[in-house]
């Protein structure tokens, strides 16, 4: 295997289109796509110039010309689809959240480790240029003692009961689709919370429409997070420290700008993301390829243990608000 991996795209939904588009635009090798129907696979392959279109996920993972599988199915199917790929000897990049619950996440990680294969959660925000710079600023101690995170992910999404976002059977709702972003960001800053306080409102289909959480950490830090699928908000984030703060502009979890303020409320750095091709979803693919080339099966920017811990946090939130999925 060369350093440039040959990608297989498992499923052909919206997020798969975004990811495959970014890979192709940035020179990655997309070798094959698999769908539950030949027609869907053919259309996807034609759109992105992909050489091979498979009529099943089983055929995709069995393709000897594919090195790594991107799992992009709805949340309840991540574990089964990742297991299928790992059992076939393929590395996996699994769309966030990594699975539906922590038990499934632990099983997928254990399987990958037993086979010495890479498993990486596709939390693309972690790998974007502005987040790289934010990690540098925090590591330098520029904000002093970091005490708080305030972040929202609030969108006005379709209210159609048949839409995936509103389906209990498909793991819909604000928490797993939108809340995963600020929850993961808080984890990156502070680790697992010591206590969780959560409150939610629900849609008629039984999924959560709004979810507010307050996390408290052993070091005294607090994260205040809000996600919603029925209201559009600012989609900004702020990291607060004893010597300054970082205000991340809309949309904070995508390639964007931010400002660093000192304790006198003076701007000491104004960061603008350099021009990138596409949304920036290829940076996570680059990390996956780097890891495989180095013989590693997990990333230090988003470890498998952290992905499991994030699922444990999401499970705890769901337990508080009474959100139970059919796949639990």
């Amino acid at each position: 295997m060369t350093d440039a991996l040959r990608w297989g795209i498992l499923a052909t939904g919206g997020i798969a289109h975004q990811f495959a588009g970014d890979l192709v635009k940035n020179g990655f090798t997309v070798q094959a796509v698999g769908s539950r129907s030949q027609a869907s696979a053919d259309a996807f392959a034609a759109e992105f110039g992909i050489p091979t279109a498979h009529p099943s996920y089983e055929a995709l993972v069995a393709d000897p010309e594919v090195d790594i599988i991107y799992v992009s199915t709805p949340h309840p199917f991540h574990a089964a689809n990742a297991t299928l790929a790992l059992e076939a000897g393929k590395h996996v990049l699994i769309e966030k959240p990594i699975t539906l619950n922590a038990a499934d996440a632990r099983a997928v990680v254990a399987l990958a480790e037993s086979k010495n294969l890479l498993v990486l959660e596709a939390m693309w925000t972690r790998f974007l240029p502005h987040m790289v710079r934010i990690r540098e600023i925090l590591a330098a101690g520029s904000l002093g003692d970091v005490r708080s995170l305030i972040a929202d992910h609030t969108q006005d999404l379709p209210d159609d009961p048949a839409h995936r976002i509103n389906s209990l059977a498909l793991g819909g709702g604000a928490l797993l689709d939108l809340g995963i972003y600020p929850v993961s960001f808080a984890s990156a800053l502070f680790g697992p919370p010591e206590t969780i306080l959560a409150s939610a409102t629900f849609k008629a289909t039984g999924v959560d429409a709004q979810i507010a959480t307050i996390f408290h950490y052993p070091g005294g830090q607090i994260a205040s997070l809000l996600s919603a699928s029925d209201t559009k908000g600012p989609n900004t984030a702020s990291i607060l420290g004893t010597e300054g703060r970082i205000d991340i502009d809309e949309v904070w979890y995508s390639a964007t700008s931010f400002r660093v303020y000192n304790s006198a409320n003076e701007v000491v750095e104004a960061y603008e993301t350099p021009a990138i091709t596409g949304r920036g979803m290829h940076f996570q693919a680059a990390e996956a390829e780097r890891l495989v080339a180095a013989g590693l099966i997990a990333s230090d920017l988003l470890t498998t243990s952290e992905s499991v811990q994030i699922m444990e946090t999401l499970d705890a939130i769901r337990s508080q608000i009474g959100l139970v999925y059919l796949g639990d």
Side-chain angles (χ1 to χ4, degrees), residues 148-152 213-215 222-226:
S148 307
L149 169 68
I150 304 168
D152 83 297
T213 56
I214 298 175
F215 297 162
I222 290 177
S224 177
L225 315 174
L226 174 67

Side-chain angles (χ1 to χ4, degrees), residues 80-321:
N81 297 151
T83 297
L84 186 72
L86 290 166
E87 292 287 8
K90 310 300 187 187
H91 303 287
V92 289
L93 176 67
I94 308 172
E95 191 49 61
K96 68 206 167 312
I98 190 169
T99 52
L100 189 67
N101 54 51
D104 284 350
R106 285 188 286 267
V108 168
V109 169
L111 178 61
E113 290 175 346
S114 73
K115 293 183 171 294
N116 199 37
L117 292 168
L118 173 73
V119 59
L120 179 63
E121 183 182 10
M123 176 45 73
W124 63 296
T125 303
R126 287 279 176 110
F127 309 99
L128 291 173
H130 73 295
M131 287 297 178
V132 174
R133 178 60 188 141
I134 286 171
R135 286 193 293 270
E136 293 171 348
I137 292 167
L138 296 177
S142 302
L143 300 190
D145 185 15
V146 177
R147 306 302 296 160
S148 307
L149 169 68
I150 304 168
D152 83 297
H153 188 181
T154 44
Q155 305 288 349
D156 187 9
L157 299 178
D159 201 39
D160 179 1
H163 193 282
R164 181 192 62 80
I165 191 71
N166 302 314
S167 170
L168 273 179
L170 296 179
L175 179 62
L176 294 196
D177 263 80
L178 307 178
I180 178 65
Y181 283 91
V183 169
S184 181
F185 193 19
S187 175
L189 293 175
F190 302 130
E194 184 175 57
T195 61
I196 297 169
L197 180 63
S199 182
T201 60
F202 289 83
K203 293 190 174 183
T205 60
V207 303
D208 57 307
Q210 299 180 92
I211 176 72
T213 56
I214 298 175
F215 297 162
H216 194 279
Y217 297 88
Q221 304 94 338
I222 290 177
S224 177
L225 315 174
L226 174 67
S227 296
S229 64
D230 60 357
T231 49
K232 179 73 166 68
N235 291 293
T236 57
S238 293
I239 305 169
L240 312 181
T242 54
E243 300 298 326
R245 75 178 191 274
I246 298 174
D247 287 346
I248 312 175
D249 295 323
E250 183 182 16
V251 172
W252 69 265
Y253 54 83
S254 64
T256 190
S257 54
F258 66 80
R259 290 162 311 288
V260 183
Y261 294 83
N262 62 19
S263 57
N265 206 38
E266 300 165 331
V267 176
V268 295
E269 179 176 339
Y271 178 90
E272 296 288 339
T273 291
I276 61 174
T277 301
R279 294 188 74 206
M281 299 187 79
H282 61 288
F283 290 107
Q284 61 189 346
E287 172 69 357
E289 295 202 3
R290 180 190 72 81
L291 292 167
V292 172
L296 302 173
I297 62 171
S299 173
D300 57 353
L301 291 179
L302 180 53
T303 64
T304 52
S305 60
E306 186 186 0
S307 288
V308 170
Q309 169 261 301
I310 289 169
M311 289 312 308
E312 290 171 346
T313 299
L314 294 171
D315 284 357
I317 293 169
R318 290 206 288 125
S319 178
Q320 280 198 27
I321 63 175

Side-chain angles (χ1 to χ4, degrees), residues 51-62:
T52 308
H54 293 289
S56 71
Y57 302 152
E58 290 79 7
L60 172 67
V61 303

